[in-house]
Amino acid sequence: MVRALKITIITCLSQHGIKRQHVSDAAKSAKIQRDKKKIAHYRNLTDACLDLRDSHTYTQDAYDKTSKLLEENPEFNAIWNYRRDILESWQSNNKDIVTHLLEELNLSMGLLKRFPKCYWIWSHRVWVLFKLESLNKPQWSTELMIVAKMLEYDLRNYHGWSYRRFIVDNIEKAETSATTTANEDEQILALVKINSKEFEYTTSKINNISNFSAWHNRSQLIPKIYKLFQLLKDKSLFPQLQPIFLSPYSLLQHELDLVKTGMYVDADDSSVWLYLSWLLTDKFFVESFESTQNYKDVLLQQLNIVEELNELEKDDHPKGWDNRWCLKAMILIRTLLDDSPENDDLTKNWLKRLIDIDPLRKNKYMDQLNGKLVIVSI
């Protein structure tokens, strides 16, 4: 087994308007010596932790050493595993494991502030939460407030959004478990309350239209809330939801209005267009129309909106170019309206324009133009 990481230290000098500074030979030599000490320290700490792990040592000293190593390298998953082995050992020996588990939450929070996209930190935090729940010390509600704070630091961190869905799922399980002796109506009411708050949360976060994770979370919530809302006997308890979740059609119109606002705010933001694609193609909405003509009427309405936006974008562009996202949406809608889009001259012209204005995806558009690639999304 390789017992130490090879560390390559590369000094990157920014070229964005910052003047390169001359570094003397003495300064370079001093830095090399400092780096050598850091590398030696890291290797010694790694060897010590792995030796302790291999000898099945589960002492406080071993635990402290893993803390130091993870502070330096939280990507070291073998050390996270060893740390969990230590905690499991302490639990089996009747130590105050709850206090240590709460310390684990503090440690992982500190690390997440520095490394918000490290999988192993998130994974360890999940393990700790399940362990606390098994000890009848659940932290789900507290954790929901914490993840809200996390997402304030980084609105588009998909780890944070995925973690939030995980927390909400477990809050739901806890609520339904607590009401097992109650009737089904009370369980449905509890679930609607939880998910309606999440719906409101995503509404507040899509004010930043580039927050794709918020749009995606919304797409997961809508079918779920609709199903629950239809089972709810007293819908007047949720006046804010009642007009929106009246039917899939009312939901669609509500969401299309939000998308329209987003498109006009920033026509180059991919998040809005991907959400529009979902609204127009997902079976939750498509299968709810009373007739094919009703569906086509909505498609034509959206096609007109996008075409009008594209004309405005052309007017603003110094070269009078079409907006590529508008063209993509127009092609998708035209495809949904026509079973044979490859024979449609208008669609072909739009694809030819995309080849010119979006050369990075030239081959994709050419395949679509030649009928080799079916157009199913933006």
Side-chain angles (χ1 to χ4, degrees), residues 48-103:
C49 285
L50 292 175
D51 285 339
L52 289 167
R53 181 200 64 173
D54 293 345
S55 63
H56 304 288
T57 302
Y58 304 127
T59 62
Q60 182 68 47
D61 178 64
Y63 178 78
D64 292 340
K65 280 186 169 61
T66 64
S67 298
K68 292 176 182 177
L69 184 52
L70 291 170
E71 286 280 356
E72 295 190 25
N73 178 19
E75 296 281 358
F76 207 151
N77 192 37
I79 301 303
W80 285 114
N81 289 334
Y82 175 40
R83 191 175 180 87
R84 288 191 281 272
D85 288 342
I86 293 173
L87 291 167
E88 292 280 12
S89 173
W90 288 357
Q91 182 182 0
S92 63
N93 289 305
N94 299 317
K95 281 200 174 186
D96 183 12
I97 190 64
V98 172
T99 299
H100 288 291
L101 290 171
L102 293 176
E103 288 175 2

Short mmCIF file of all heavy atoms in Angstrom, two decimals, residues 48-103:
data_model
loop_
_atom_site.label_atom_id
_atom_site.label_comp_id
_atom_site.label_asym_id
_atom_site.label_seq_id
_atom_site.Cartn_x
_atom_site.Cartn_y
_atom_site.Cartn_z
N ALA A 48 1.50 7.53 10.74
CA ALA A 48 1.07 7.27 12.13
C ALA A 48 -0.38 6.82 12.18
O ALA A 48 -0.72 5.84 12.87
CB ALA A 48 1.27 8.53 12.97
N CYS A 49 -1.24 7.51 11.44
CA CYS A 49 -2.67 7.16 11.43
C CYS A 49 -2.90 5.77 10.83
O CYS A 49 -3.70 4.98 11.36
CB CYS A 49 -3.46 8.20 10.65
SG CYS A 49 -3.69 9.76 11.53
N LEU A 50 -2.23 5.47 9.74
CA LEU A 50 -2.42 4.18 9.10
C LEU A 50 -1.86 3.05 9.96
O LEU A 50 -2.42 1.94 9.99
CB LEU A 50 -1.78 4.18 7.71
CG LEU A 50 -2.48 5.10 6.68
CD1 LEU A 50 -1.71 5.12 5.38
CD2 LEU A 50 -3.91 4.65 6.44
N ASP A 51 -0.77 3.30 10.65
CA ASP A 51 -0.22 2.29 11.57
C ASP A 51 -1.21 2.02 12.71
O ASP A 51 -1.42 0.85 13.11
CB ASP A 51 1.12 2.75 12.15
CG ASP A 51 2.26 2.63 11.14
OD1 ASP A 51 2.10 1.85 10.17
OD2 ASP A 51 3.28 3.32 11.31
N LEU A 52 -1.78 3.07 13.25
CA LEU A 52 -2.77 2.92 14.32
C LEU A 52 -4.00 2.18 13.83
O LEU A 52 -4.57 1.35 14.53
CB LEU A 52 -3.16 4.30 14.86
CG LEU A 52 -2.09 5.03 15.68
CD1 LEU A 52 -2.48 6.50 15.87
CD2 LEU A 52 -1.89 4.35 17.03
N ARG A 53 -4.41 2.49 12.62
CA ARG A 53 -5.57 1.79 12.05
C ARG A 53 -5.29 0.30 11.88
O ARG A 53 -6.11 -0.56 12.25
CB ARG A 53 -5.93 2.40 10.70
CG ARG A 53 -7.15 1.76 10.03
CD ARG A 53 -7.18 2.03 8.54
NE ARG A 53 -6.03 1.41 7.86
CZ ARG A 53 -5.89 1.39 6.54
NH1 ARG A 53 -6.80 1.96 5.77
NH2 ARG A 53 -4.82 0.82 5.99
N ASP A 54 -4.09 -0.01 11.33
CA ASP A 54 -3.74 -1.41 11.07
C ASP A 54 -3.59 -2.22 12.36
O ASP A 54 -3.78 -3.44 12.37
CB ASP A 54 -2.45 -1.49 10.26
CG ASP A 54 -2.62 -0.93 8.84
OD1 ASP A 54 -3.80 -0.75 8.42
OD2 ASP A 54 -1.61 -0.64 8.19
N SER A 55 -3.26 -1.52 13.44
CA SER A 55 -3.11 -2.22 14.73
C SER A 55 -4.41 -2.18 15.55
O SER A 55 -4.42 -2.58 16.72
CB SER A 55 -1.98 -1.60 15.54
OG SER A 55 -2.27 -0.23 15.85
N HIS A 56 -5.50 -1.69 14.92
CA HIS A 56 -6.82 -1.63 15.56
C HIS A 56 -6.77 -0.86 16.89
O HIS A 56 -7.31 -1.30 17.91
CB HIS A 56 -7.38 -3.03 15.79
CG HIS A 56 -7.46 -3.86 14.55
ND1 HIS A 56 -8.39 -3.63 13.56
CD2 HIS A 56 -6.69 -4.89 14.11
CE1 HIS A 56 -8.21 -4.50 12.57
NE2 HIS A 56 -7.17 -5.27 12.87
N THR A 57 -6.11 0.29 16.82
CA THR A 57 -6.00 1.14 18.01
C THR A 57 -7.13 2.16 17.99
O THR A 57 -7.28 2.93 17.05
CB THR A 57 -4.64 1.87 18.02
OG1 THR A 57 -3.59 0.90 17.99
CG2 THR A 57 -4.52 2.75 19.26
N TYR A 58 -7.94 2.16 19.08
CA TYR A 58 -9.12 3.03 19.11
C TYR A 58 -9.06 3.95 20.34
O TYR A 58 -10.00 4.03 21.13
CB TYR A 58 -10.39 2.20 19.14
CG TYR A 58 -10.49 1.23 17.97
CD1 TYR A 58 -10.72 -0.13 18.18
CD2 TYR A 58 -10.34 1.69 16.67
CE1 TYR A 58 -10.80 -1.01 17.11
CE2 TYR A 58 -10.42 0.81 15.59
CZ TYR A 58 -10.65 -0.53 15.81
OH TYR A 58 -10.72 -1.39 14.75
N THR A 59 -7.96 4.63 20.50
CA THR A 59 -7.75 5.50 21.66
C THR A 59 -8.07 6.95 21.32
O THR A 59 -8.25 7.31 20.14
CB THR A 59 -6.30 5.41 22.13
OG1 THR A 59 -5.45 5.87 21.06
CG2 THR A 59 -5.93 4.00 22.50
N GLN A 60 -8.08 7.79 22.37
CA GLN A 60 -8.30 9.22 22.16
C GLN A 60 -7.16 9.81 21.33
O GLN A 60 -7.39 10.69 20.49
CB GLN A 60 -8.38 9.92 23.52
CG GLN A 60 -8.65 11.42 23.43
CD GLN A 60 -10.04 11.75 22.91
OE1 GLN A 60 -11.03 11.16 23.35
NE2 GLN A 60 -10.14 12.67 21.96
N ASP A 61 -5.96 9.34 21.55
CA ASP A 61 -4.81 9.85 20.79
C ASP A 61 -4.97 9.55 19.30
O ASP A 61 -4.69 10.40 18.45
CB ASP A 61 -3.52 9.22 21.32
CG ASP A 61 -2.31 9.67 20.52
OD1 ASP A 61 -2.00 10.89 20.54
OD2 ASP A 61 -1.67 8.82 19.87
N ALA A 62 -5.43 8.33 18.99
CA ALA A 62 -5.65 7.96 17.59
C ALA A 62 -6.74 8.85 16.97
O ALA A 62 -6.61 9.32 15.83
CB ALA A 62 -6.04 6.49 17.50
N TYR A 63 -7.79 9.07 17.74
CA TYR A 63 -8.90 9.93 17.29
C TYR A 63 -8.40 11.35 17.00
O TYR A 63 -8.74 11.94 15.97
CB TYR A 63 -9.97 9.94 18.38
CG TYR A 63 -11.18 10.80 18.13
CD1 TYR A 63 -12.19 10.39 17.28
CD2 TYR A 63 -11.33 12.02 18.80
CE1 TYR A 63 -13.32 11.17 17.07
CE2 TYR A 63 -12.44 12.81 18.60
CZ TYR A 63 -13.44 12.38 17.73
OH TYR A 63 -14.55 13.17 17.53
N ASP A 64 -7.58 11.88 17.88
CA ASP A 64 -7.04 13.23 17.71
C ASP A 64 -6.15 13.33 16.48
O ASP A 64 -6.15 14.34 15.77
CB ASP A 64 -6.27 13.66 18.95
CG ASP A 64 -7.16 13.84 20.16
OD1 ASP A 64 -8.38 14.01 19.97
OD2 ASP A 64 -6.65 13.80 21.30
N LYS A 65 -5.38 12.27 16.24
CA LYS A 65 -4.51 12.28 15.06
C LYS A 65 -5.32 12.28 13.76
O LYS A 65 -4.96 12.95 12.79
CB LYS A 65 -3.56 11.07 15.11
CG LYS A 65 -2.34 11.25 16.01
CD LYS A 65 -1.39 10.07 15.89
CE LYS A 65 -0.05 10.37 16.57
NZ LYS A 65 -0.16 10.64 18.00
N THR A 66 -6.42 11.54 13.75
CA THR A 66 -7.27 11.56 12.54
C THR A 66 -7.85 12.95 12.32
O THR A 66 -7.99 13.39 11.18
CB THR A 66 -8.41 10.52 12.63
OG1 THR A 66 -9.30 10.86 13.69
CG2 THR A 66 -7.87 9.12 12.81
N SER A 67 -8.17 13.64 13.41
CA SER A 67 -8.69 15.00 13.29
C SER A 67 -7.66 15.90 12.60
O SER A 67 -8.00 16.67 11.68
CB SER A 67 -9.03 15.58 14.66
OG SER A 67 -10.05 14.85 15.29
N LYS A 68 -6.42 15.80 13.04
CA LYS A 68 -5.36 16.64 12.46
C LYS A 68 -5.15 16.33 10.98
O LYS A 68 -4.98 17.23 10.16
CB LYS A 68 -4.06 16.44 13.24
CG LYS A 68 -4.11 16.97 14.67
CD LYS A 68 -2.81 16.66 15.41
CE LYS A 68 -2.87 17.15 16.86
NZ LYS A 68 -1.63 16.79 17.61
N LEU A 69 -5.16 15.02 10.66
CA LEU A 69 -4.92 14.63 9.27
C LEU A 69 -6.07 15.07 8.36
O LEU A 69 -5.85 15.56 7.25
CB LEU A 69 -4.73 13.12 9.18
CG LEU A 69 -4.38 12.55 7.80
CD1 LEU A 69 -3.19 13.27 7.18
CD2 LEU A 69 -4.11 11.05 7.90
N LEU A 70 -7.30 14.90 8.83
CA LEU A 70 -8.47 15.30 8.03
C LEU A 70 -8.56 16.81 7.87
O LEU A 70 -9.09 17.29 6.86
CB LEU A 70 -9.75 14.74 8.65
CG LEU A 70 -9.89 13.21 8.56
CD1 LEU A 70 -11.04 12.72 9.42
CD2 LEU A 70 -10.06 12.76 7.11
N GLU A 71 -8.07 17.54 8.84
CA GLU A 71 -8.01 19.00 8.70
C GLU A 71 -7.10 19.39 7.53
O GLU A 71 -7.33 20.39 6.85
CB GLU A 71 -7.50 19.64 9.99
CG GLU A 71 -8.49 19.65 11.14
CD GLU A 71 -9.52 20.76 11.03
OE1 GLU A 71 -9.42 21.57 10.10
OE2 GLU A 71 -10.42 20.79 11.89
N GLU A 72 -6.07 18.58 7.31
CA GLU A 72 -5.14 18.87 6.22
C GLU A 72 -5.61 18.27 4.89
O GLU A 72 -5.39 18.85 3.83
CB GLU A 72 -3.75 18.34 6.57
CG GLU A 72 -3.12 19.05 7.75
CD GLU A 72 -1.64 18.69 7.92
OE1 GLU A 72 -1.01 18.31 6.91
OE2 GLU A 72 -1.13 18.81 9.05
N ASN A 73 -6.25 17.10 4.96
CA ASN A 73 -6.69 16.43 3.74
C ASN A 73 -8.02 15.71 3.96
O ASN A 73 -8.04 14.51 4.26
CB ASN A 73 -5.62 15.44 3.25
CG ASN A 73 -6.06 14.70 2.00
OD1 ASN A 73 -6.97 15.14 1.29
ND2 ASN A 73 -5.43 13.56 1.73
N PRO A 74 -9.15 16.39 3.81
CA PRO A 74 -10.45 15.76 4.03
C PRO A 74 -10.85 14.77 2.95
O PRO A 74 -11.87 14.09 3.06
CB PRO A 74 -11.41 16.96 4.05
CG PRO A 74 -10.75 17.98 3.20
CD PRO A 74 -9.28 17.82 3.45
N GLU A 75 -10.04 14.68 1.88
CA GLU A 75 -10.33 13.72 0.81
C GLU A 75 -9.82 12.31 1.14
O GLU A 75 -9.99 11.39 0.36
CB GLU A 75 -9.68 14.19 -0.50
CG GLU A 75 -10.22 15.50 -1.05
CD GLU A 75 -11.55 15.34 -1.77
OE1 GLU A 75 -12.02 14.19 -1.88
OE2 GLU A 75 -12.10 16.36 -2.22
N PHE A 76 -9.20 12.14 2.29
CA PHE A 76 -8.60 10.87 2.68
C PHE A 76 -9.69 9.98 3.27
O PHE A 76 -9.85 9.86 4.47
CB PHE A 76 -7.49 11.12 3.71
CG PHE A 76 -6.40 10.08 3.70
CD1 PHE A 76 -5.11 10.43 4.07
CD2 PHE A 76 -6.66 8.76 3.35
CE1 PHE A 76 -4.09 9.48 4.09
CE2 PHE A 76 -5.67 7.82 3.36
CZ PHE A 76 -4.37 8.17 3.73
N ASN A 77 -10.43 9.27 2.41
CA ASN A 77 -11.60 8.52 2.86
C ASN A 77 -11.25 7.38 3.81
O ASN A 77 -12.03 7.04 4.71
CB ASN A 77 -12.36 7.96 1.65
CG ASN A 77 -13.73 7.43 2.04
OD1 ASN A 77 -14.39 8.00 2.90
ND2 ASN A 77 -14.14 6.34 1.43
N ALA A 78 -10.07 6.77 3.64
CA ALA A 78 -9.67 5.68 4.54
C ALA A 78 -9.59 6.16 5.99
O ALA A 78 -9.89 5.40 6.93
CB ALA A 78 -8.32 5.12 4.11
N ILE A 79 -9.22 7.43 6.18
CA ILE A 79 -9.13 7.97 7.54
C ILE A 79 -10.53 8.24 8.10
O ILE A 79 -10.76 8.06 9.31
CB ILE A 79 -8.26 9.25 7.57
CG1 ILE A 79 -6.85 8.92 7.05
CG2 ILE A 79 -8.18 9.82 8.97
CD1 ILE A 79 -6.14 7.81 7.82
N TRP A 80 -11.46 8.66 7.25
CA TRP A 80 -12.85 8.80 7.70
C TRP A 80 -13.38 7.44 8.17
O TRP A 80 -14.07 7.35 9.19
CB TRP A 80 -13.73 9.36 6.59
CG TRP A 80 -13.57 10.81 6.30
CD1 TRP A 80 -13.07 11.38 5.16
CD2 TRP A 80 -13.93 11.91 7.16
NE1 TRP A 80 -13.09 12.74 5.25
CE2 TRP A 80 -13.61 13.11 6.46
CE3 TRP A 80 -14.47 12.01 8.44
CZ2 TRP A 80 -13.83 14.37 7.00
CZ3 TRP A 80 -14.69 13.28 8.98
CH2 TRP A 80 -14.36 14.44 8.26
N ASN A 81 -13.08 6.39 7.40
CA ASN A 81 -13.53 5.05 7.80
C ASN A 81 -12.93 4.64 9.13
O ASN A 81 -13.63 4.06 9.99
CB ASN A 81 -13.13 4.04 6.71
CG ASN A 81 -13.95 4.19 5.45
OD1 ASN A 81 -15.08 4.67 5.48
ND2 ASN A 81 -13.39 3.78 4.32
N TYR A 82 -11.64 4.92 9.30
CA TYR A 82 -10.97 4.59 10.57
C TYR A 82 -11.60 5.37 11.72
O TYR A 82 -11.83 4.82 12.82
CB TYR A 82 -9.47 4.89 10.45
CG TYR A 82 -8.68 4.70 11.71
CD1 TYR A 82 -8.92 3.63 12.58
CD2 TYR A 82 -7.67 5.61 12.05
CE1 TYR A 82 -8.17 3.47 13.74
CE2 TYR A 82 -6.92 5.45 13.20
CZ TYR A 82 -7.18 4.38 14.04
OH TYR A 82 -6.44 4.21 15.19
N ARG A 83 -11.91 6.62 11.49
CA ARG A 83 -12.53 7.46 12.52
C ARG A 83 -13.88 6.88 12.94
O ARG A 83 -14.21 6.85 14.14
CB ARG A 83 -12.70 8.88 11.97
CG ARG A 83 -13.08 9.93 13.01
CD ARG A 83 -13.10 11.31 12.35
NE ARG A 83 -13.46 12.35 13.28
CZ ARG A 83 -12.60 13.00 14.07
NH1 ARG A 83 -11.32 12.67 14.05
NH2 ARG A 83 -13.01 13.95 14.88
N ARG A 84 -14.65 6.38 11.98
CA ARG A 84 -15.94 5.78 12.31
C ARG A 84 -15.73 4.48 13.10
O ARG A 84 -16.53 4.17 14.00
CB ARG A 84 -16.75 5.54 11.04
CG ARG A 84 -17.28 6.82 10.43
CD ARG A 84 -18.29 6.56 9.33
NE ARG A 84 -17.66 6.19 8.07
CZ ARG A 84 -17.25 7.07 7.15
NH1 ARG A 84 -17.40 8.38 7.36
NH2 ARG A 84 -16.72 6.66 6.02
N ASP A 85 -14.67 3.74 12.76
CA ASP A 85 -14.36 2.52 13.53
C ASP A 85 -14.07 2.87 15.00
O ASP A 85 -14.47 2.15 15.92
CB ASP A 85 -13.15 1.80 12.93
CG ASP A 85 -13.48 1.13 11.60
OD1 ASP A 85 -14.68 0.92 11.32
OD2 ASP A 85 -12.53 0.84 10.84
N ILE A 86 -13.36 3.98 15.20
CA ILE A 86 -13.05 4.41 16.57
C ILE A 86 -14.34 4.73 17.32
O ILE A 86 -14.54 4.30 18.47
CB ILE A 86 -12.13 5.65 16.55
CG1 ILE A 86 -10.75 5.29 16.00
CG2 ILE A 86 -11.99 6.24 17.95
CD1 ILE A 86 -9.82 6.48 15.79
N LEU A 87 -15.24 5.47 16.67
CA LEU A 87 -16.50 5.84 17.32
C LEU A 87 -17.36 4.61 17.62
O LEU A 87 -17.99 4.53 18.68
CB LEU A 87 -17.26 6.82 16.44
CG LEU A 87 -16.62 8.21 16.31
CD1 LEU A 87 -17.27 9.00 15.18
CD2 LEU A 87 -16.73 8.98 17.62
N GLU A 88 -17.37 3.65 16.70
CA GLU A 88 -18.12 2.41 16.92
C GLU A 88 -17.55 1.65 18.12
O GLU A 88 -18.30 1.10 18.94
CB GLU A 88 -18.07 1.53 15.68
CG GLU A 88 -18.81 2.07 14.47
CD GLU A 88 -20.30 1.82 14.53
OE1 GLU A 88 -20.81 1.43 15.61
OE2 GLU A 88 -20.97 2.05 13.51
N SER A 89 -16.24 1.64 18.21
CA SER A 89 -15.58 0.96 19.34
C SER A 89 -15.94 1.62 20.66
O SER A 89 -16.23 0.96 21.66
CB SER A 89 -14.07 0.97 19.13
OG SER A 89 -13.40 0.47 20.27
N TRP A 90 -15.93 2.94 20.67
CA TRP A 90 -16.28 3.67 21.89
C TRP A 90 -17.73 3.41 22.30
O TRP A 90 -18.03 3.28 23.49
CB TRP A 90 -16.06 5.17 21.68
CG TRP A 90 -14.61 5.55 21.62
CD1 TRP A 90 -13.54 4.73 21.80
CD2 TRP A 90 -14.08 6.85 21.36
NE1 TRP A 90 -12.37 5.43 21.67
CE2 TRP A 90 -12.67 6.74 21.40
CE3 TRP A 90 -14.64 8.09 21.11
CZ2 TRP A 90 -11.83 7.82 21.18
CZ3 TRP A 90 -13.81 9.18 20.89
CH2 TRP A 90 -12.42 9.05 20.93
N GLN A 91 -18.60 3.33 21.32
CA GLN A 91 -20.00 3.06 21.63
C GLN A 91 -20.16 1.68 22.27
O GLN A 91 -20.89 1.52 23.25
CB GLN A 91 -20.86 3.15 20.37
CG GLN A 91 -22.35 2.92 20.64
CD GLN A 91 -23.19 2.95 19.38
OE1 GLN A 91 -22.68 3.15 18.28
NE2 GLN A 91 -24.49 2.75 19.53
N SER A 92 -19.47 0.69 21.71
CA SER A 92 -19.57 -0.67 22.24
C SER A 92 -18.97 -0.78 23.65
O SER A 92 -19.31 -1.68 24.41
CB SER A 92 -18.87 -1.66 21.32
OG SER A 92 -17.48 -1.39 21.24
N ASN A 93 -18.11 0.18 23.99
CA ASN A 93 -17.50 0.19 25.33
C ASN A 93 -18.19 1.19 26.26
O ASN A 93 -17.62 1.61 27.27
CB ASN A 93 -16.01 0.52 25.23
CG ASN A 93 -15.22 -0.62 24.64
OD1 ASN A 93 -15.28 -1.74 25.13
ND2 ASN A 93 -14.49 -0.37 23.57
N ASN A 94 -19.41 1.59 25.87
CA ASN A 94 -20.28 2.42 26.72
C ASN A 94 -19.71 3.80 27.01
O ASN A 94 -19.94 4.37 28.08
CB ASN A 94 -20.59 1.70 28.04
CG ASN A 94 -21.31 0.39 27.82
OD1 ASN A 94 -22.23 0.32 26.99
ND2 ASN A 94 -20.91 -0.65 28.51
N LYS A 95 -18.95 4.35 26.08
CA LYS A 95 -18.49 5.73 26.26
C LYS A 95 -19.63 6.69 25.91
O LYS A 95 -20.62 6.31 25.29
CB LYS A 95 -17.29 6.00 25.36
CG LYS A 95 -15.97 5.45 25.90
CD LYS A 95 -14.79 6.15 25.24
CE LYS A 95 -13.48 5.72 25.87
NZ LYS A 95 -12.34 6.49 25.35
N ASP A 96 -19.47 7.95 26.28
CA ASP A 96 -20.48 8.97 25.98
C ASP A 96 -20.40 9.31 24.48
O ASP A 96 -19.85 10.33 24.09
CB ASP A 96 -20.24 10.22 26.83
CG ASP A 96 -21.31 11.27 26.59
OD1 ASP A 96 -22.33 10.94 25.95
OD2 ASP A 96 -21.12 12.42 27.02
N ILE A 97 -20.97 8.42 23.70
CA ILE A 97 -20.83 8.53 22.25
C ILE A 97 -21.59 9.73 21.68
O ILE A 97 -21.18 10.33 20.69
CB ILE A 97 -21.30 7.22 21.57
CG1 ILE A 97 -20.94 7.23 20.08
CG2 ILE A 97 -22.79 7.00 21.80
CD1 ILE A 97 -19.48 7.26 19.81
N VAL A 98 -22.71 10.12 22.30
CA VAL A 98 -23.51 11.23 21.78
C VAL A 98 -22.69 12.52 21.76
O VAL A 98 -22.71 13.27 20.78
CB VAL A 98 -24.79 11.41 22.61
CG1 VAL A 98 -25.52 12.70 22.19
CG2 VAL A 98 -25.70 10.21 22.45
N THR A 99 -21.96 12.77 22.83
CA THR A 99 -21.13 13.98 22.88
C THR A 99 -20.12 13.98 21.75
O THR A 99 -19.91 15.00 21.09
CB THR A 99 -20.38 14.06 24.23
OG1 THR A 99 -21.34 14.13 25.28
CG2 THR A 99 -19.49 15.29 24.28
N HIS A 100 -19.51 12.84 21.50
CA HIS A 100 -18.52 12.75 20.42
C HIS A 100 -19.18 12.90 19.04
O HIS A 100 -18.60 13.50 18.14
CB HIS A 100 -17.77 11.42 20.50
CG HIS A 100 -16.81 11.35 21.65
ND1 HIS A 100 -15.66 12.11 21.70
CD2 HIS A 100 -16.83 10.61 22.80
CE1 HIS A 100 -15.00 11.84 22.82
NE2 HIS A 100 -15.70 10.95 23.50
N LEU A 101 -20.37 12.38 18.88
CA LEU A 101 -21.06 12.51 17.60
C LEU A 101 -21.42 13.97 17.32
O LEU A 101 -21.33 14.44 16.17
CB LEU A 101 -22.32 11.65 17.58
CG LEU A 101 -22.09 10.13 17.54
CD1 LEU A 101 -23.40 9.38 17.75
CD2 LEU A 101 -21.43 9.71 16.22
N LEU A 102 -21.80 14.68 18.36
CA LEU A 102 -22.09 16.11 18.18
C LEU A 102 -20.81 16.87 17.83
O LEU A 102 -20.83 17.83 17.06
CB LEU A 102 -22.72 16.67 19.45
CG LEU A 102 -24.12 16.13 19.78
CD1 LEU A 102 -24.62 16.69 21.12
CD2 LEU A 102 -25.12 16.48 18.67
N GLU A 103 -19.68 16.41 18.39
CA GLU A 103 -18.39 17.00 18.03
C GLU A 103 -18.07 16.74 16.56
O GLU A 103 -17.47 17.57 15.87
CB GLU A 103 -17.28 16.44 18.91
CG GLU A 103 -17.32 16.93 20.35
CD GLU A 103 -16.27 16.25 21.23
OE1 GLU A 103 -15.51 15.42 20.69
OE2 GLU A 103 -16.21 16.56 22.43
#
